[in-house]
Amino acid sequence: MRAAATCAAACTAALGLPLLLVLLSTGQSPAAGAGAGRAGAPTDYAKTDIPPAYLRWYLDAANTCPGLPWNVLAAIGKTESDHGRSTAPGVHTGENHAGAGGPMQFLAPTWAAYGVDGDHDGRKDRYNPADAIHGAARLLCANGAGKGGRHLSRAIWHYNHSDHYVRTVLARAARYATPTPTGTGRAALAVRAALRWLGTPYSWGGGGPSGPTYGIDHGRGIKGFDCSGLTQHAWAQAGARLPRIAADQYHAGPHVPRSQLKPGDLLFFATNPRNPATIHHVGIYLGHGRMIHAPQTGDVVRISPFTGNPTRERQYAGATRPTPHTTST
């Protein structure tokens, strides 16, 4: 290792609409593809990119820290050493210029504190992939990675003390456990646009067609997205102009029955699901019961369970499918 408020129906007070501060259950962490506490099964890309032995160790090591997504652990391994394939100094022997060694790039003092005998051979060796990966899981867990949300992001930051590093890891994690959108349709473009910003901070009133922006009120000073800012941006890249407010986005496009949901559709959540005026949150359906969204202040853009999440199920108000003919308000 090298050295609360949610998106409401009115995401900006400047529009003169009521701000509904409804604290939502946020599912699990940014690693259900960057994902939830328990990330999905490895994608074909993960199976191709990660050596089989490493993949097994990532999966096994994640199980030692309930809630730690295996794909985040794998993304760190990719970032640090390309799963041990790097020929850079310190990966296989010795240390790099910062004193780090092994496939997970541990400093000697950190290894002394968190090293694990992952393959049970009686030794704790930071150059042994099984040991190093289990040690990384232990270190991440000690920093709160199993708690999800901002705790996971903070744990990743502690691994390398870089915001860029956090974003890189979360983006790679998403690719390992998230089906890659196929085709060249507009919905796939919108999904890809949203995935690009995994790990970006939530900012009340932040974001728009051009990307993340500084927010307002308690989002002031934070550059990022709120829920409808993210959806507006993602679909702008696919040629559809959405209104800025989540409740307005609900009326900007044909409604889709839940049984016919496709990746890219917008999912809406309300205090009273029968009353669209109470919509306070929107996300982008990813498929397999998951969505990409900007959850709440203190969190980051991430992928969370939708199907089976009690709060999301209870507050689900419907879905729409944006089109290029959607106009802004």
Side-chain angles (χ1 to χ4, degrees):
M1 186 194 79
R2 301 191 295 270
T6 62
C7 180
C11 289
T12 148
L15 295 179
L17 297 175
L19 299 180
L20 305 178
L21 293 176
V22 182
L23 184 62
L24 299 178
S25 165
T26 58
Q28 301 182 45
S29 72
R38 288 182 293 275
T43 59
D44 289 342
Y45 169 73
K47 294 174 184 178
T48 300
D49 188 59
I50 305 172
Y54 271 73
L55 180 57
R56 183 179 71 252
W57 290 324
Y58 292 133
L59 291 165
D60 289 347
N63 284 332
T64 67
C65 177
L68 171 63
W70 71 266
N71 54 332
V72 165
L73 195 57
I76 289 175
K78 172 71 173 181
T79 305
E80 296 293 348
S81 71
D82 191 19
H83 310 302
R85 291 181 292 231
S86 172
T87 58
V91 173
H92 301 284
T93 59
E95 297 178 339
N96 66 12
H97 68 280
M104 302 302 281
Q105 292 291 275
F106 272 93
L107 296 172
T110 308
W111 180 252
Y114 294 99
V116 174
D117 179 9
D119 59 1
H120 308 292
D121 66 354
R123 300 174 58 229
K124 298 179 183 179
D125 181 2
R126 61 176 166 160
Y127 299 97
N128 179 323
D131 294 359
I133 291 168
H134 279 78
R138 183 182 179 190
L139 173 60
L140 288 165
C141 203
N143 284 318
K147 298 178 181 179
R150 61 181 178 273
H151 300 284
L152 176 61
S153 296
R154 187 183 303 120
I156 299 170
W157 185 90
H158 278 294
Y159 206 93
N160 200 342
H161 298 90
S162 164
D163 292 336
H164 175 73
Y165 182 84
V166 174
R167 285 188 57 182
T168 297
V169 167
L170 289 174
R172 286 175 170 166
R175 196 173 181 194
Y176 281 150
T178 302
T180 301
T182 58
T184 58
R186 295 182 183 276
L189 291 175
V191 170
R192 290 191 184 100
L195 287 173
R196 176 188 174 192
W197 298 103
L198 288 170
T200 301
Y202 177 96
S203 175
W204 178 272
S210 62
T213 65
Y214 289 99
I216 60 172
D217 195 13
H218 44 273
R220 190 182 305 276
I222 302 173
K223 189 174 184 179
F225 293 99
D226 63 15
C227 64
S228 56
L230 177 66
T231 53
Q232 187 184 50
H233 168 75
W235 269 100
Q237 311 318 299
R241 293 176 293 164
L242 294 176
R244 180 61 179 81
I245 306 305
D248 292 338
Q249 291 181 2
Y250 178 79
H251 298 290
H255 290 89
V256 181
R258 183 164 175 176
S259 62
Q260 297 177 26
L261 286 175
K262 295 181 179 179
D265 290 345
L266 299 185
L267 307 176
F268 295 89
F269 305 89
T271 305
N272 177 0
R274 296 182 179 181
N275 182 1
T278 68
I279 287 173
H280 55 70
H281 193 62
V282 59
I284 301 173
Y285 188 58
L286 183 61
H288 302 282
R290 295 177 293 175
M291 66 178 179
I292 313 164
H293 66 146
Q296 62 182 14
T297 297
D299 213 324
V300 296
V301 174
R302 61 191 178 89
I303 298 169
S304 298
F306 156 52
T307 301
N309 180 299
T311 300
R312 298 301 184 197
E313 294 281 7
R314 184 173 63 253
Q315 297 187 344
Y316 179 66
T320 66
R321 185 165 296 157
T323 71
H325 304 294
T326 302
T327 57
S328 60
T329 59

